[in-house]
Amino acid sequence: MNPFLELGIRHEVVNAITELGFEKPSSIQEKAIPVLLTGNDDFVGLAQTGTGKTAAFGLPLLEQLDFSQKHPQALVLCPTRELCLQIAKDIEKYAKYIDNVNVVAVYGGANISDQLRQIRRGVQIVVATPGRMLDIIGRNAIDFSQVKYVVLDEADEMLNMGFQEDINTILSETPDDKKTWLFSATMPREVRRIAQKYMTDPVELTVGTKNTGNANIEHHYYLIRARDKYAAFKRIVDSNPEIFGIVFCRTKIETQEIAEALIKDGYNADSLHGDLSQQQRDKVMKRYRERNLQLLIATDVAARGIDVNDVTHVINFSLPDEIENYTHRSGRTARAGKTGISISLVNIKEQSKIRQLEKVIGKPFERKQVPQGTEVCEKQLFSIVNKIQSVEVNEAQIAPFLPGIMENLAELSKEDIITRFASLEFNRFLEYYQNAPDLNIDANDRGDRGERGERGDRGDRRQGSKGFTRLFMNLGSVDELSRGDMLGFICNNAKITGKSIGKIDMKGVFTFFEVEDAEVEKVFEGFKSVDFNGRQVRIEVSGDRDRNSADGGGRSRGGDRGGFGGRSDRPRGDRRQGSGSGERRGGFGGERRDRREGGNSGGGFRDFSGKRRESKSKY
Ligand code: AMP
């Protein structure tokens, strides 16, 4: 008998999930479903993402609700729009063979009228992100008086994103006798408090060890000088030709810089961060899901809830500010029983963080050596050979060209032809990695050559000319501004003359420009609340990405840490050309409860904090 039937799931649902490839319950499903099917208990499930949590609560919900009625009976709250859509879609799939099941996904950044219309039409299951849910409650547009079940999914993430107050308010709209099911990857104090506040004797289940990452993830780290970070990163990517990865950065500027540098260097990459509108995010995610992007460069906040299977590597280009985020980052790989690798690029000063992380995940990290140039070449060569071996030949299509090809190659021996075909791609790497230096450093090397070197290296790029400060603006050439337009735009708003402006360096979605030190404050003042095509214009001091900013504008002038050298360190090739950033246009939007936090002091991680922070951020 089908094990889901044995657990008490009805035939219609079992048929639907069998079509989805669910043969037997995952561990959390096996444990949670029998408890949740009783419908009598509050529940706390500690489980990582990717363990099958959605079905663990989704299947019991389908058994418990009365679909002949059209009022909301279950409310699922989750932290992000992606997760919200995913859950709603998944539940609809499980319910494919049950009549009259209505699920609505309620999330920010999309047209609220459509969502209100769906609610009015009648729904039994509401899947929502807290901000938009609150908005709808505020409009008296939903009646939660008959809700029987509330699911808090990724509760730690919701608190982490500052949704605590929203959750309190939303829960107060639901009946006292509802049952609350809470799922969380970790159990910090704040989540524990929610459990205590809203639940009565919850049944608690843990899948895997508390706080422990997925056992299928290998954790690697590379010890390098800060200035070599980007070069080392690219070597790692180049030595994994089949990589399909998510690269995590701490700030949105860093994601943009790295994505831009990678695109320039011939990779298929793009960035995902809090400044993109939902439409832009969707486009990036679509390209990534369809594998038209090989590397997705993301901030923690933007990557929440991303559920893409087959991610081979998570790369921590910068370690997360908060230790909890490491588990969330690495959980983007090794989903649905697959294996994956989580890579961290660390400098000497960050080694202690690796030890902290080992404690959190309960597993040692493996130190890996940045591949030497020759190793990268070897990997690339064999990747080419494998591709030649496994390429699908379309006999019919190529047939008409074969005589000509044969004639052209008639002079060459089989060995010659093989060598030449392989060399087509390989030469670029060979040439590029010729004389490539060793990027590894000694773990006991206390010298800070790297840090100094990095600052030196970056002086030209990041700092303004003498007497000038280099500023960042979130408008660029995609906004159809010429350099002259930009100059006028700055001068008009800041009320300064063109003489006070130095170099203007317009990129795709952002611009760096120099302003005389004495006039910098005027620029910040002038751009305090300027909109461009409905988008709030943001000014930051370039290179000061790691610091806090109470207005989201980024004005502190602390030191620049981490980051990348921005050197072109890879042969170019059409094969990986990304389509670039041209599509990142349009206004701000979306529900953002991003975090605004101070820069990492470098000495360790900040404590987890469930405090709410307001909307705009550097993420
Ligand atoms: P989730 O943790 O709910 O995001 O699920 C992670 C992935 O595992 C999703 O792609 C699910 O479709 C898949 N999945 C969940 N449960 C099962 C199961 N019992 N058998 C096979 N795949 C599953």
Side-chain angles (χ1 to χ4, degrees):
M1 184 159 141
N2 182 296
F4 285 101
L5 280 177
E6 274 181 56
L7 282 179
I9 304 298
R10 69 175 94 173
H11 273 286
E12 290 90 333
V13 175
V14 172
N15 289 344
I17 60 174
T18 304
E19 284 177 17
L20 296 175
F22 292 20
E23 286 169 12
K24 57 180 179 32
S26 69
S27 176
I28 182 82
Q29 291 161 3
E30 197 167 28
K31 291 178 181 173
I33 290 173
V35 178
L36 302 183
L37 276 183
T38 68
N40 297 328
D41 294 301
D42 285 335
F43 174 86
V44 173
L46 264 177
Q48 302 291 321
T49 50
T51 50
K53 275 184 300 149
T54 317
F57 64 78
L59 304 185
L61 280 185
L62 292 178
E63 297 301 321
Q64 308 284 8
L65 307 186
D66 177 357
F67 295 105
S68 65
Q69 302 295 318
K70 288 212 145 193
H71 53 258
Q73 297 162 48
L75 167 65
V76 181
L77 288 176
C78 61
T80 63
R81 171 182 188 271
E82 273 75 22
L83 193 58
C84 177
L85 281 166
Q86 188 69 43
I87 294 171
K89 243 192 292 159
D90 284 353
I91 296 179
E92 277 170 353
K93 282 184 196 155
Y94 310 151
K96 185 176 168 191
Y97 297 117
I98 313 180
D99 290 336
N100 304 319
V101 175
N102 293 302
V103 184
V104 63
V106 163
Y107 51 89
N111 191 334
I112 197 165
S113 346
D114 290 345
Q115 295 171 1
L116 291 171
R117 204 171 308 120
Q118 285 184 63
I119 292 169
R120 271 198 302 274
R121 246 187 265 145
V123 292
Q124 298 94 5
I125 303 175
V126 179
V127 185
T129 54
R132 176 58 65 91
M133 193 68 259
L134 209 55
D135 194 347
I136 288 177
I137 290 173
R139 293 167 188 239
N140 278 330
I142 198 153
D143 173 12
F144 279 150
S145 64
Q146 297 188 64
V147 162
K148 285 191 172 141
Y149 301 96
V150 171
V151 180
L152 302 174
D153 193 22
E154 301 210 351
D156 51 351
E157 285 292 343
M158 286 199 282
L159 297 188
N160 210 4
M161 290 168 80
F163 282 132
Q164 180 139 24
E165 285 166 34
D166 292 357
I167 294 172
N168 291 348
T169 316
I170 295 166
L171 288 181
S172 71
E173 293 289 312
T174 59
D176 289 342
D177 62 354
K178 61 163 185 294
K179 298 298 168 212
T180 306
W181 303 345
L182 180 149
F183 289 84
S184 194
T186 56
M187 187 50 83
R189 269 195 317 275
E190 289 75 6
V191 176
R192 178 70 56 207
R193 231 176 272 141
I194 284 237
Q196 279 159 0
K197 189 166 171 191
Y198 293 107
M199 299 184 188
T200 331
D201 293 333
V203 175
E204 275 199 41
L205 283 179
T206 302
V207 177
T209 324
K210 241 187 223 178
N211 279 348
T212 303
N214 182 330
N216 292 335
I217 304 173
E218 284 178 38
H219 300 267
H220 298 169
Y221 76 101
Y222 293 81
L223 197 56
I224 44 161
R225 288 184 198 98
R227 68 155 183 230
D228 291 330
K229 211 183 209 185
Y230 185 64
F233 163 62
K234 286 204 299 183
R235 277 204 206 170
I236 294 165
V237 170
D238 285 346
S239 63
N240 289 284
E242 302 308 322
I243 195 167
F244 180 54
I246 302 181
V247 181
F248 281 96
C249 299
R250 271 206 295 262
T251 64
K252 55 194 168 201
I253 297 180
E254 198 175 44
T255 63
Q256 286 173 327
E257 286 185 338
I258 292 171
E260 290 253 329
L262 285 170
I263 291 165
K264 252 193 231 142
D265 289 345
Y267 295 82
N268 266 340
D270 210 339
S271 58
L272 190 73
H273 55 77
D275 264 6
L276 302 183
S277 68
Q278 292 300 352
Q279 213 182 356
Q280 292 166 324
R281 283 177 61 101
D282 287 348
K283 266 194 187 163
V284 175
M285 281 314 297
K286 183 164 184 282
R287 286 171 60 209
Y288 186 62
R289 275 207 178 87
E290 291 175 352
R291 293 184 167 248
N292 292 321
L293 288 179
Q294 197 172 16
L295 297 168
L296 183 69
I297 323 296
T299 57
D300 290 290
V301 171
R304 294 250 160 82
I306 289 181
D307 179 17
V308 177
N309 285 338
D310 302 325
V311 170
T312 59
H313 292 74
V314 162
I315 299 180
N316 296 282
F317 191 87
S318 302
L319 285 174
D321 280 345
E322 288 179 56
I323 201 158
E324 300 280 339
N325 275 341
Y326 182 84
T327 327
H328 291 293
R329 287 180 175 190
S330 52
R332 301 294 144 212
T333 182
R335 297 179 73 78
K338 309 250 171 54
T339 56
I341 296 174
S342 174
I343 286 174
S344 299
L345 300 169
V346 299
N347 59 36
I348 289 280
K349 287 180 188 162
E350 292 173 315
Q351 282 185 100
S352 61
K353 289 186 178 177
I354 295 295
R355 304 284 92 83
Q356 280 178 269
L357 286 171
E358 286 176 332
K359 283 194 200 123
V360 169
I361 61 164
K363 218 167 134 172
F365 274 57
E366 206 179 315
R367 180 173 171 194
K368 293 281 183 184
Q369 296 290 313
V370 180
Q372 303 298 338
T374 46
E375 293 170 65
V376 176
C377 290
E378 192 180 334
K379 281 273 170 58
Q380 287 289 340
L381 181 58
F382 281 97
S383 159
I384 296 163
V385 171
N386 282 339
K387 275 187 191 145
I388 293 177
Q389 232 170 2
S390 59
V391 68
E392 250 180 66
V393 176
N394 188 327
E395 305 276 358
Q397 298 276 355
I398 202 166
F401 304 102
L402 277 179
I405 296 172
M406 294 300 178
E407 195 183 321
N408 273 316
L409 300 179
E411 303 283 293
L412 300 175
S413 70
K414 175 183 166 192
E415 285 71 24
D416 270 343
I417 292 173
I418 293 172
T419 315
R420 283 166 194 237
F421 263 99
S423 299
L424 269 181
E425 284 271 308
F426 180 58
N427 280 354
R428 295 189 294 115
F429 286 91
L430 204 58
E431 200 179 307
Y432 184 73
Y433 280 113
Q434 237 175 23
N435 310 321
D438 184 356
L439 298 182
N440 297 290
I441 50 171
D442 184 346
N444 300 317
D445 183 357
R446 306 304 311 170
D448 58 355
R449 286 170 295 144
E451 318 309 322
R452 264 193 242 122
E454 186 192 23
R455 295 228 167 92
D457 272 3
R458 289 200 199 161
D460 303 338
R461 284 187 73 239
R462 300 274 173 97
Q463 271 145 37
S465 313
K466 201 158 187 295
F468 283 80
T469 302
R470 194 159 187 254
L471 300 180
F472 160 95
M473 183 194 290
N474 62 335
L475 298 182
S477 47
V478 299
D479 296 291
E480 288 168 9
L481 287 166
S482 67
R483 214 190 295 268
D485 295 336
M486 180 55 85
L487 182 67
F489 185 60
I490 299 167
C491 292
N492 286 340
N493 284 293
K495 313 236 170 351
I496 54 176
T497 65
K499 273 193 286 181
S500 306
I501 311 280
K503 271 182 236 151
I504 297 180
D505 186 8
M506 292 188 74
K507 310 273 186 196
V509 288
F510 55 88
T511 297
F512 290 113
F513 62 100
E514 294 178 342
V515 176
E516 268 179 347
D517 292 341
E519 306 288 64
V520 170
E521 285 307 320
K522 286 190 190 164
V523 178
F524 281 116
E525 202 53 39
F527 279 95
K528 244 182 181 166
S529 56
V530 173
D531 269 23
F532 184 84
N533 287 345
R535 216 163 112 207
Q536 193 191 329
V537 179
R538 199 163 42 76
I539 307 284
E540 290 180 20
V541 175
S542 150
D544 263 345
R545 297 161 300 154
D546 294 344
R547 42 114 254 318
N548 191 9
S549 137
D551 58 5
R555 307 172 60 164
S556 125
R557 280 129 215 203
D560 192 4
R561 282 174 241 106
F564 74 103
R567 284 168 297 158
S568 180
D569 190 23
R570 183 179 189 274
R572 276 164 169 274
D574 295 339
R575 192 167 56 94
R576 299 200 192 181
Q577 288 293 351
S579 65
S581 51
E583 63 188 24
R584 293 194 219 108
R585 204 176 303 183
F588 282 86
E591 178 175 64
R592 286 199 305 272
R593 299 290 152 126
D594 301 354
R595 292 163 307 150
R596 280 192 278 119
E597 285 158 355
N600 190 3
S601 62
F605 294 95
R606 267 195 303 283
D607 285 342
F608 176 90
S609 157
K611 281 191 212 91
R612 176 179 183 127
R613 284 136 180 143
E614 290 308 321
S615 58
K616 293 233 359 134
S617 83
K618 60 183 175 146
Y619 303 99

